[in-house]
Amino acid sequence: MCAFLDDQSGFRISVIIPARNEASNLPHVLTALPAGLHEVIVVDGHSTDDTIDVARRARLDVRIVQQTRYGKGNALACGFAVLTGDVAVALDADGSADPAEIPAFVAALAAGADFAKGTRFDKGGGSHDITRFRKIGNAGLSHLVNLLFGTCYTDLCYGYNALRTRVLPMLELPPVEAAGEPPGGMLWGDGFEIETLITVRAARAGVRITEVASTEKTRLHGSSNLRAIPDGIRVLRTIITEHRRLRRPHRAAADGPAGFDGELVGEPT
């Protein structure tokens, strides 16, 4: 039975769930969401199973959005583009993120934060899913971001986050509609590097950020689309490019919304 979201802040909370072939997992995720949410948006990533039908059966009020390209980053951008709430919560569809933790993220925003960044590696957090290799890589990338941007993040590459929707324009995420068909079906920023892009740009924008301890569970069914080495390289390139933009602010407008000089790269994830 789902819990009730005892939100005294008056926030209208939108939950964004990117999903690609997650028919086996979505019923568990959707039924575990706390009551009292403003809206739940499932962004379908061109699923070949019955993800959409399953989502509609599991939650009658669910909004289904089709993403315009491929990758988690594009899915989130598509969800952000249509939400109507004051707060956006990004939640994975594989069951690894615990919906019961949503009130903790909302409480952090109600206490004054603009961006509540989930962390598995601060006190109270943990992970039953991450491999030793990915944990070492995440630690190294987190340290690099802290060094370059003066931040204190303990977990860079974690997708369980919440933010006030008024922050979204400051993040300049890749546009959901783009002229022409990008090679591989993706713009830079459409992949798993989206968490890093949001995290770094939130820091650059000077918004109030707090970390929220979270325990990552093991994926319920199926296998992850994450590819540790290729996606890690995308994250590293994101950090380097964002740091270059920070040092050359007069070029930010010329770099375009995605912040990568219009470069189109990558394969669907």
Side-chain angles (χ1 to χ4, degrees):
M1 184 176 180
C2 61
F4 185 80
L5 182 64
D6 184 16
D7 179 21
Q8 302 300 318
S9 67
F11 289 144
R12 296 174 302 162
I13 301 165
S14 301
V15 175
I16 313 298
I17 306 176
R20 183 185 183 200
N21 296 329
E22 296 287 4
S24 298
N25 296 319
L26 271 177
H28 303 277
V29 176
L30 293 175
T31 57
L33 290 170
L37 298 171
H38 172 63
E39 62 187 348
V40 177
I41 302 172
V42 170
V43 184
D44 178 60
H46 313 287
S47 296
T48 56
D49 66 2
D50 55 348
T51 286
I52 295 176
D53 291 338
V54 166
R56 287 176 172 152
R57 289 197 300 267
R59 188 176 179 103
L60 297 179
D61 63 344
V62 71
R63 294 180 62 189
I64 304 295
V65 174
Q66 286 286 348
Q67 70 175 98
T68 55
R69 293 185 296 276
Y70 291 90
K72 184 179 182 181
N74 175 248
L76 284 177
C78 290
F80 291 152
V82 301
L83 61 78
T84 59
D86 309 304
V87 165
V89 179
L91 190 71
D92 286 345
D94 60 7
S96 61
D98 186 356
E101 294 178 350
I102 290 178
F105 285 86
V106 175
L109 299 178
D114 295 307
F115 178 40
K117 176 79 177 77
T119 176
R120 297 161 290 183
F121 305 124
D122 202 5
K123 184 177 181 181
S127 176
H128 303 290
D129 180 70
I130 194 168
T131 64
R132 180 176 176 82
F133 177 72
R134 286 170 49 210
K135 185 175 182 179
I136 292 172
N138 185 28
L141 292 168
S142 299
H143 178 73
L144 180 60
V145 165
N146 292 338
L147 180 66
L148 296 179
F149 295 92
T151 52
C152 299
Y153 293 122
T154 61
D155 191 355
L156 180 68
C157 305
Y158 189 39
Y160 200 172
N161 304 303
L163 50 79
R164 296 175 186 254
T165 54
R166 68 190 184 199
V167 172
L168 288 171
M170 306 179 194
L171 304 179
E172 297 181 298
L173 299 181
V176 295
E177 300 291 347
E181 179 66 20
M186 294 173 66
L187 292 174
W188 199 276
D190 282 351
F192 282 103
E193 69 273 12
I194 188 65
E195 283 104 8
T196 299
L197 197 63
I198 290 174
T199 299
V200 169
R201 290 191 175 176
R204 286 181 50 196
V207 304
R208 293 166 294 184
I209 303 170
T210 189
E211 289 193 321
V212 176
S214 174
T215 299
E216 181 184 36
K217 300 179 179 180
T218 304
R219 162 184 273 273
L220 292 173
H221 304 284
S223 57
S224 174
N225 293 314
L226 178 68
R227 300 169 300 171
I229 294 178
D231 290 318
I233 293 172
R234 291 175 73 96
V235 168
L236 179 60
R237 291 187 63 187
T238 300
I239 295 169
I240 294 171
T241 304
E242 289 301 300
H243 185 248
R244 288 170 57 194
R245 291 184 76 209
L246 179 65
R247 296 177 61 188
R248 295 184 292 176
H250 63 282
R251 288 194 56 193
D255 285 346
F260 284 89
D261 300 312
E263 185 177 9
L264 307 177
V265 293
E267 298 292 333
T269 58

